[in-house]
Amino acid sequence: MKTDDFLKSSCGWLKGTGQYGDIVISSRIRLARNLKDFHFEARLNQAKAKELIKRLEEAVHSCNYLKKALFVRFSELSELDKQLLLERHLISREHSLGKGERAVCISENEIVSIMVVEEDHLRMQVLQSGFSLSEAWRILSQIDSELERFLEYAFDSQLGYLTACPTNVGTGLRASTMLHLPALIMTKEINKILQALAKLNLASRGFYGEGTQASGNFFQFSNQITLGHSEEDIIDNLERVLRQVIEHEKEARLMLFKKRRGMLEDQIWRALGTLKSARIISSQETISLLSLVRLGLDLGLVAGLDVQKLNDLFLLIQPAHLQKLFGKELSAAERDSKRAELIRSHLKSIVLV
Amino acid sequence: MKTDDFLKSSCGWLKGTGQYGDIVISSRIRLARNLKDFHFEARLNQAKAKELIKRLEEAVHSCNYLKKALFVRFSELSELDKQLLLERHLISREHSLGKGERAVCISENEIVSIMVVEEDHLRMQVLQSGFSLSEAWRILSQIDSELERFLEYAFDSQLGYLTACPTNVGTGLRASTMLHLPALIMTKEINKILQALAKLNLASRGFYGEGTQASGNFFQFSNQITLGHSEEDIIDNLERVLRQVIEHEKEARLMLFKKRRGMLEDQIWRALGTLKSARIISSQETISLLSLVRLGLDLGLVAGLDVQKLNDLFLLIQPAHLQKLFGKELSAAERDSKRAELIRSHLKSIVLV
């Protein structure tokens, strides 16, 4: 598989467009599905897994939305390829580490991906730029219906869709949105908000998904309950709550812009100065600095760079991406140096004034 | 007095030239002298002080070396003017704060300055760029001899020159050298060296003179003993000791360049990036960062800037200089912002690559 092609084009969900595009990076819906005629993944033998993957491949390619999609078995992927897909949010860590027969289906623009034989037989996701949970759901629901014409899902009329883990039973749906909340962090309002969201049963995570900490002021919020509510209700509820978080961030930005502009400009330009000059830089530091530059672009304090180009950097600075880009295996120290090199070249168009 | 003229030209002792110009910023010799016919400063009344200043003014202008020198009474100076002279190392803090009749004589290129009615009647100094104590002494000794033709110094055949404070009795000479020792700090060898110098009765101070701490890796070393040795012995001794310090710094730089070049380049370029981008910056942070850039220039890791232009910044970023440059009184917060503005404009010619 030519995973290198991924490096050449930007992925569709990091365009920086869509509703509240200055605060909402992306919206994601995923569905967990299992096929009735096969054991759950934990008890699936390799022969059956092979058969299942074959059946899914056929179904996927009969599906209008995925006719041109890439369908690839893990046996065709190197470890680096898998890490690249993980870094691009196209497969999960568990999926990438899993042994045996597995596969993934990815649409051209990386908007749709379907993990095959993850915790469930199918983990389908649609990623959209901006605050677009409804649009993501519209697309995913269409794909789900199309697939259901070719596949018989494990479904119970009382419980809904059956899944390997009881927390996913019902709709099998998880909706999540990645927000960029630098102003709420600067004004120290963030903890109050995180506590409120936890009480509403929303989970929060970092930029790089499950198990990662919030870094660079990025937060992924998602529903935890999948049972007892319709898909639309779950999405509406998440949207309603997050709209308030977004409004708070907007207000905090306005306040900072009006009352602490000097401090804000200083932080943003220093971040740019460091990114444009460092020779050695960790991904953690990079993300924090990019977050500030992104805020500078959003507030019109910095010019000369396209938001998508900046967003691309969040992916490109990761280990597998760096190794693919520079065409060789790199130690952690070498990556810190190559990362700095990549960033400097990427931000050349911004002039320090 | 037009102290503003000082801002237009660079001062002669910050040229960055001379022996060991990459490590030794400047060399300074000062002599303390008093006139036989006048009480020491503590018991000098205002009428006598006026007379003393007049007599010195005549003597100074009869002196070949100082024919074109500026001679100015403190009554003609604003508080800001005095602060400016202090920041340019032309008068001392005590002199600038002193009440009553005082004056200062400054040569065109700021190489020579004579404080009149400081702790002693005369405190004459010659500042030279680089490691040039002997040259500074040659000039100062010539001026001293010329002045002695017109003035009768308080002198005792046994003790030598008499001074207000016993620590200056004898030669009345203090020799000092400002060294830039970033590599000895990075390699943590500096403390060992400072301890050794203290045992040899050498005093160490910061960039901004007596009572200031070493900052930005700059150290001023000077003799403490003035009695019982000839001027030449004092200077030779200081030169001999400091030559060893310089050699240690050279070795440390070479070692860092060879073995930790990546870290070194990262620190130096980041310093430049911050200086070229910050919107708010303290003088303390500026000096630390300028020190790194200076090291980068010395090691050939950074190009596009003249050493003298960089050295000028050490003076220009100080409070009185900023207020003179921007033509108005500035609060501390305003200075931090104007300082950043000045630095950015000053370093425009360096391109981040």
Side-chain angles (χ1 to χ4, degrees):
Chain A
M1 176 210 163
K2 281 201 170 175
T3 46
D4 299 20
D5 292 348
F6 287 123
L7 299 174
K8 286 177 201 147
S9 56
S10 302
C11 54
W13 58 274
L14 272 178
K15 278 185 293 193
T17 56
Q19 205 190 3
Y20 298 124
D22 54 341
I23 293 172
V24 184
I25 305 298
S26 60
S27 301
R28 171 178 174 267
I29 306 269
R30 75 105 164 106
L31 289 176
R33 295 288 184 260
N34 290 276
L35 302 198
K36 199 182 165 190
D37 303 338
F38 293 82
H39 284 306
F40 280 144
E41 187 267 339
R43 297 190 55 204
L44 194 68
N45 68 38
Q46 291 308 298
K48 291 296 275 181
K50 235 176 187 160
E51 189 190 328
L52 186 143
I53 289 170
K54 198 164 173 2
R55 198 176 304 173
L56 282 169
E57 186 176 20
E58 286 162 12
V60 150
H61 283 149
S62 309
C63 180
N64 274 322
Y65 215 97
L66 298 169
K67 277 216 163 74
K68 288 187 188 168
L70 177 81
F71 191 96
V72 63
R73 286 165 174 77
F74 276 21
S75 51
E76 302 163 48
L77 296 176
S78 68
E79 284 307 312
L80 192 61
D81 287 332
K82 283 192 274 180
Q83 207 190 330
L84 189 86
L85 296 180
L86 169 63
E87 289 176 359
R88 292 184 83 78
H89 299 214
L90 296 169
I91 63 175
S92 65
R93 188 166 303 277
E94 296 67 37
H95 199 215
S96 78
L97 296 175
K99 300 285 164 228
E101 302 289 336
R102 285 156 202 267
V104 63
C105 169
I106 301 165
S107 75
E108 253 181 327
N109 50 7
E110 301 177 48
I111 291 293
V112 185
S113 85
I114 304 179
M115 289 185 272
V116 187
V117 191
E118 208 248 16
E119 183 181 295
D120 295 296
H121 295 156
L122 290 182
R123 284 283 180 103
M124 313 187 263
Q125 75 169 13
V126 170
L127 269 162
Q128 289 277 295
S129 181
F131 198 45
S132 317
L133 285 172
S134 310
E135 174 62 7
W137 170 238
R138 196 188 59 72
I139 298 170
L140 188 51
S141 145
Q142 193 180 322
I143 292 170
D144 187 42
S145 304
E146 282 204 77
L147 284 178
E148 213 165 0
R149 285 192 281 136
F150 306 99
L151 305 169
E152 197 176 351
Y153 287 150
F155 184 81
D156 176 274
S157 60
Q158 185 108 39
L159 292 170
Y161 292 99
L162 302 178
T163 55
C165 177
T167 56
N168 289 310
V169 164
T171 57
L173 180 143
R174 174 153 279 168
S176 70
T177 301
M178 180 145 58
L179 304 185
H180 184 221
L181 306 175
L184 289 176
I185 289 190
M186 288 182 191
T187 57
K188 298 193 169 65
E189 292 173 64
I190 192 72
N191 286 333
K192 214 172 54 191
I193 285 171
L194 290 180
Q195 281 163 20
L197 293 179
K199 277 189 196 156
L200 292 169
N201 270 317
L202 296 188
S204 70
R205 286 169 193 154
F207 185 84
Y208 297 116
E210 198 152 359
T212 67
Q213 279 205 308
S215 62
N217 312 322
F218 293 98
F219 295 85
Q220 267 190 67
F221 297 109
S222 61
N223 64 305
Q224 289 186 305
I225 291 167
T226 58
L227 187 68
H229 298 280
S230 74
E231 288 86 349
E232 287 76 11
D233 283 352
I234 294 171
I235 291 168
D236 283 354
N237 180 48
L238 185 66
E239 279 198 339
R240 207 183 59 251
V241 174
L242 292 186
R243 213 175 285 274
Q244 292 178 48
V245 179
I246 293 164
E247 288 302 329
H248 273 97
E249 169 68 18
K250 271 174 118 172
E251 278 166 31
R253 288 186 185 189
L254 200 66
M255 191 281 287
L256 289 174
F257 192 79
K258 276 189 183 161
K259 301 198 172 157
R260 293 166 67 193
R261 179 151 175 184
M263 172 284 297
L264 204 59
E265 289 193 337
D266 185 53
Q267 283 197 31
I268 289 166
W269 282 99
R270 278 172 182 253
L272 251 177
T274 302
L275 289 167
K276 279 178 73 69
S277 60
R279 260 54 185 167
I280 297 172
I281 196 163
S282 70
S283 53
Q284 199 61 34
E285 184 185 3
T286 305
I287 294 165
S288 301
L289 297 176
L290 285 177
S291 158
L292 285 165
V293 175
R294 172 75 209 246
L295 180 64
L297 282 177
D298 292 338
L299 293 176
L301 295 174
V302 169
L305 189 78
D306 185 72
V307 171
Q308 169 134 29
K309 214 175 166 203
L310 187 77
N311 286 351
D312 284 347
L313 269 182
F314 285 99
L315 297 186
L316 296 176
I317 58 151
Q318 299 173 97
H321 278 77
L322 286 175
Q323 294 180 77
K324 284 278 184 186
L325 279 169
F326 287 94
K328 57 177 174 183
E329 214 175 294
L330 299 169
S331 68
E334 286 167 337
R335 289 202 298 272
D336 285 351
S337 148
K338 290 295 183 189
R339 180 178 297 114
E341 189 181 325
L342 174 79
I343 295 167
R344 291 201 308 279
S345 119
H346 213 80
L347 297 182
K348 223 169 216 163
S349 63
I350 299 193
V351 179
L352 296 180
V353 286
Chain B
M1 176 213 165
K2 280 201 172 176
T3 47
D4 299 20
D5 291 348
F6 286 123
L7 299 174
K8 286 177 201 146
S9 56
S10 301
C11 54
W13 57 274
L14 272 178
K15 278 186 293 195
T17 55
Q19 204 190 4
Y20 298 124
D22 55 341
I23 293 173
V24 184
I25 305 299
S26 60
S27 301
R28 172 179 173 266
I29 307 270
R30 75 105 164 105
L31 289 174
R33 295 289 185 258
N34 291 275
L35 302 198
K36 198 181 166 192
D37 304 338
F38 293 81
H39 284 306
F40 280 143
E41 187 268 340
R43 296 190 55 204
L44 194 68
N45 68 39
Q46 290 308 296
K48 291 296 275 180
K50 234 176 188 160
E51 190 190 326
L52 186 143
I53 289 170
K54 196 163 177 358
R55 198 174 307 172
L56 282 169
E57 186 176 20
E58 285 161 12
V60 150
H61 283 150
S62 310
C63 180
N64 274 322
Y65 214 98
L66 297 169
K67 277 215 165 75
K68 289 187 185 167
L70 178 82
F71 190 96
V72 62
R73 286 164 174 77
F74 275 21
S75 51
E76 303 164 47
L77 295 178
S78 68
E79 284 308 312
L80 192 61
D81 286 332
K82 283 191 275 180
Q83 207 190 330
L84 188 85
L85 296 180
L86 169 63
E87 288 176 0
R88 293 182 83 77
H89 299 213
L90 295 169
I91 63 175
S92 65
R93 187 166 304 276
E94 296 66 39
H95 199 215
S96 78
L97 295 175
K99 300 287 162 225
E101 302 289 335
R102 285 156 201 269
V104 64
C105 170
I106 301 165
S107 74
E108 252 182 328
N109 49 8
E110 301 177 48
I111 290 293
V112 185
S113 85
I114 304 179
M115 289 185 274
V116 187
V117 192
E118 208 247 15
E119 183 182 295
D120 294 298
H121 296 156
L122 289 182
R123 284 284 180 102
M124 312 189 265
Q125 74 169 13
V126 170
L127 270 162
Q128 288 278 296
S129 181
F131 198 47
S132 317
L133 285 171
S134 309
E135 174 62 7
W137 170 238
R138 196 189 58 74
I139 298 170
L140 188 51
S141 146
Q142 193 180 323
I143 292 169
D144 187 43
S145 303
E146 282 205 78
L147 284 177
E148 212 165 359
R149 285 193 280 137
F150 306 99
L151 305 168
E152 197 177 351
Y153 288 150
F155 183 81
D156 177 274
S157 61
Q158 185 107 42
L159 292 171
Y161 292 99
L162 302 177
T163 54
C165 176
T167 56
N168 290 311
V169 164
T171 57
L173 180 142
R174 174 154 280 169
S176 69
T177 302
M178 181 144 58
L179 304 185
H180 184 220
L181 306 175
L184 289 177
I185 290 191
M186 288 181 192
T187 57
K188 300 194 168 66
E189 292 173 64
I190 192 71
N191 285 334
K192 213 172 54 191
I193 285 171
L194 290 179
Q195 281 163 19
L197 293 179
K199 277 189 194 154
L200 293 169
N201 270 316
L202 296 189
S204 70
R205 288 170 192 153
F207 186 85
Y208 296 116
E210 198 151 359
T212 67
Q213 280 206 307
S215 62
N217 312 322
F218 293 98
F219 296 85
Q220 266 191 65
F221 296 109
S222 61
N223 64 305
Q224 289 185 305
I225 292 166
T226 58
L227 188 69
H229 298 279
S230 74
E231 289 86 348
E232 286 76 9
D233 282 352
I234 294 172
I235 291 168
D236 282 355
N237 179 49
L238 186 65
E239 278 197 341
R240 205 184 60 250
V241 173
L242 293 185
R243 213 176 285 275
Q244 292 179 47
V245 178
I246 293 164
E247 288 302 330
H248 273 97
E249 169 69 17
K250 270 173 120 172
E251 278 166 32
R253 288 186 185 188
L254 200 66
M255 191 281 286
L256 288 173
F257 192 79
K258 275 189 184 162
K259 300 198 175 158
R260 293 166 66 192
R261 178 150 176 184
M263 174 283 298
L264 205 59
E265 290 194 335
D266 185 53
Q267 282 197 33
I268 289 166
W269 282 99
R270 278 172 181 253
L272 250 178
T274 301
L275 289 167
K276 279 179 73 67
S277 60
R279 261 52 187 170
I280 298 172
I281 196 162
S282 70
S283 53
Q284 199 60 34
E285 184 185 2
T286 304
I287 294 165
S288 302
L289 297 176
L290 285 177
S291 157
L292 285 165
V293 175
R294 171 77 209 245
L295 180 64
L297 282 176
D298 292 337
L299 293 177
L301 294 174
V302 168
L305 189 78
D306 184 72
V307 171
Q308 169 135 30
K309 213 174 167 202
L310 187 77
N311 286 350
D312 284 347
L313 268 183
F314 285 100
L315 298 185
L316 297 176
I317 58 152
Q318 298 173 98
H321 278 77
L322 287 175
Q323 295 180 76
K324 284 277 183 187
L325 280 170
F326 287 94
K328 57 178 175 183
E329 214 175 295
L330 297 170
S331 68
E334 286 167 335
R335 290 203 298 272
D336 285 352
S337 147
K338 290 295 184 191
R339 181 178 296 114
E341 190 180 323
L342 173 79
I343 295 166
R344 291 202 307 281
S345 119
H346 214 81
L347 298 183
K348 223 167 216 165
S349 63
I350 299 193
V351 179
L352 297 181
V353 286

